[in-house]
């Protein structure tokens, strides 16, 4: 069986990717931090239910020795790990750009013939331009610090990896284990659901479909040395996405659409909170700028075709499955727990 070296396996998309790689016939070697962050599970514990071999390592360390040893003789390198919230562009760059560079340099010594798969983001390409969906090969126009750092990670792959590589740019990923879209589910459960940028269109994809695309990108010759989009083909208005979430709790919440000025103000307030606490927040001025940049639509058809991806799961069905998982894990209150309060 071929061996894939995977980063980010203890995270949301990375955990699904580990399962998909195993299902596609790979032996998975997963990089985990030797010393987890306070309050986090140890890497080996987080991977206990996954068919992977955990290896200790850290992409923030300049000394390449342990990383080179972990990469020895692998057939594919699948880089999913990344930073999705930070207080500055420099913080994003340290993980998403320089961390990618350190992995590439170590891999050049230990596994130069491996295929390098970078999981980037639609944010690296930027939003639609003049109402036209972004296509493969279009100039990148990131509008956020996160997008800039992910684009710099892509550029590192193009610059440093002489062998086979592919870069995938997922849209909005949702599914079991996600803590990003969870915010909307939590608001729905509370009785009030706030809708920012209601008329803007986005493209979503389930975590399972994302992971399948990543696993297939590790072997498909049709996607070699390409940067492409991975998401469901049909855009969806944020208004419709939130309405579908609002229909899930037993008691439908009130839905409130908020104007752009309020979103900007909320982002500025959260940035001030970051300055005061010196801790990053899920939402801040940079995230507000990204959210209000217009339509986030792209053309995923080339990658969907060349990776032979199945038709997407209906959105309402995928959201229901995600909601049920949140309730089962205690991330959302069940109707029984509400009745006991």
């Amino acid at each position: 069986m071929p061996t894939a070296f995977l980063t980010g396996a203890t995270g949301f998309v990375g955990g699904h990717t580990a399962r998909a790689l195993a299902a596609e016939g790979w032996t998975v070697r997963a990089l985990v931090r030797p010393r987890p962050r306070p309050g986090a599970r140890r890497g080996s514990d987080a991977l206990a239910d996954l068919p992977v071999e955990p290896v200790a390592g850290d992409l923030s360390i300049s000394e390449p020795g342990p990383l080179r040893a972990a990469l020895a003789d692998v057939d594919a390198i699948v880089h999913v790990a990344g930073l999705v919230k930070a207080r500055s562009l420099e913080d994003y760059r340290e993980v998403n750009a320089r961390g990618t560079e350190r992995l590439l340099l170590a891999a050049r010594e230990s596994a130069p013939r491996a295929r390098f798969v970078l999981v980037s983001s639609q944010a690296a390409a930027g939003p639609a331009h003049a109402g036209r969906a972004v296509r493969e090969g279009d100039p990148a126009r990131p509008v956020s610090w996160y997008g800039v750092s992910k684009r710099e990670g892509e550029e590192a792959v193009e610059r440093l990896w002489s062998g086979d590589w592919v870069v995938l740019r997922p849209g909005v990923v949702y599914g079991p284990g996600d803590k990003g879209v969870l915010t909307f589910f939590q608001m729905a459960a509370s009785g009030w659901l706030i809708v920012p940028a209601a008329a803007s269109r986005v493209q979503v994809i389930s975590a399972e479909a994302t992971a399948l695309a990543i696993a297939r990108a590790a072997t498909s010759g049709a996607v070699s040395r390409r940067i492409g989009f991975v998401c469901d083909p049909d855009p969806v208005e944020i208004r419709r996405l939130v309405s579908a979430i609002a229909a899930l709790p037993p008691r439908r919440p009130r839905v409130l659409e908020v104007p752009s000025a309020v979103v900007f103000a909320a982002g500025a307030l959260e940035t001030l909170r970051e300055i005061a606490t010196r801790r990053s927040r899920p939402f801040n001025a940079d995230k507000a700028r990204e959210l209000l940049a217009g339509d986030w639509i792209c053309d995923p058809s080339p990658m969907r075709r060349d990776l032979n991806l199945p038709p997407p799961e209906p959105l309402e069905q995928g959201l229901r499955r995600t909601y049920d998982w949140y309730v089962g894990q205690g991330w959302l209150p069940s109707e029984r727990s509400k009745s006991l309060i």
Side-chain angles (χ1 to χ4, degrees):
M1 294 175 66
T3 299
F5 180 87
L6 174 64
T7 71
T10 58
F12 166 49
V13 174
H16 286 277
T17 301
R19 291 183 175 88
L21 285 166
E24 292 285 306
W26 290 85
T27 295
V28 181
R29 189 181 301 168
L31 184 72
V32 298
R33 287 175 176 270
R35 294 179 299 278
R37 294 182 297 275
R41 290 192 295 169
R42 293 184 60 86
S44 56
D45 296 336
L47 299 174
D49 64 331
L50 300 179
V52 303
E53 170 200 355
V55 294
D58 193 335
L59 296 180
S60 67
I61 298 173
S62 299
E63 169 52 47
L67 191 55
R68 286 178 183 169
L71 286 159
D73 301 321
V74 299
D75 301 284
I77 300 154
V78 182
H79 185 30
V80 180
L83 190 64
V84 296
K85 63 175 184 176
R87 294 187 293 127
S88 69
L89 174 57
E90 185 62 22
D91 289 346
Y92 277 120
R93 276 180 167 149
E94 175 58 27
V95 176
N96 297 338
R98 297 191 191 103
T100 301
E101 290 176 355
R102 284 188 281 267
L103 177 60
L104 287 160
L105 292 173
R108 286 201 313 189
E109 299 295 324
S110 297
R113 289 183 293 276
R115 168 169 285 193
F116 197 100
V117 181
L118 173 66
V119 180
S120 183
S121 168
Q122 189 179 358
H129 184 61
R132 184 180 70 85
V134 184
R135 301 185 178 97
E136 287 189 24
D138 284 352
R141 297 184 179 92
V143 296
S144 64
W145 292 336
Y146 172 68
V148 168
S149 69
K150 295 299 280 187
R151 176 57 189 150
E152 290 175 352
E154 295 176 355
E155 292 170 337
V157 174
E158 295 176 284
R159 184 177 71 252
L160 297 174
W161 198 252
S162 59
D164 245 357
W165 57 263
V166 60
V167 174
L168 300 180
R169 291 169 167 172
V172 178
V173 184
Y174 73 94
D178 174 40
K179 293 184 179 179
V181 181
L182 172 63
T183 301
F184 288 100
F185 287 85
Q186 290 172 326
M187 285 192 291
S190 74
W192 282 91
L193 224 175
I194 297 173
V195 190
S200 294
R201 292 176 295 165
V202 297
Q203 278 169 275
V204 303
I205 183 170
S206 71
E208 295 85 354
T210 305
L212 177 61
I214 295 168
R216 291 186 175 175
T219 56
S220 173
V223 299
S224 179
R225 303 184 76 82
R226 279 171 52 189
I227 301 175
F229 299 96
V230 176
C231 54
D232 293 353
D234 296 327
V236 56
E237 276 193 351
I238 293 178
R239 179 184 291 116
R240 184 201 153 200
L241 175 64
V242 173
S243 294
I245 293 173
L248 295 171
R251 299 176 184 175
R252 189 177 181 89
R254 295 185 178 182
V255 177
L256 176 65
E257 296 184 6
V258 296
S260 297
V262 174
V263 178
F264 274 122
L269 181 62
E270 289 298 279
T271 293
L272 290 175
R273 185 179 297 183
E274 287 182 330
I275 294 171
T277 63
R278 297 185 179 182
R279 298 183 63 180
S280 61
R281 304 283 298 172
F283 186 71
N284 58 18
D286 187 56
K287 294 291 187 183
R289 181 168 58 251
E290 186 177 77
L291 178 62
L292 298 173
D295 288 334
W296 285 89
I297 56 176
C298 60
D299 180 11
S301 57
M303 277 290 174
R304 294 192 63 86
R305 177 194 65 230
D306 294 336
L307 293 174
N308 192 27
L309 298 181
E313 179 181 22
L315 178 61
E316 287 76 11
Q317 179 178 310
L319 292 174
R320 164 58 67 181
R321 184 170 51 80
T322 303
Y323 173 83
D324 290 342
W325 186 91
Y326 287 148
V327 171
Q329 295 295 312
W331 291 19
L332 290 177
S334 65
E335 196 59 22
R336 181 179 182 275
S337 67
K338 283 184 178 180
S339 66
L340 295 176
I341 295 175

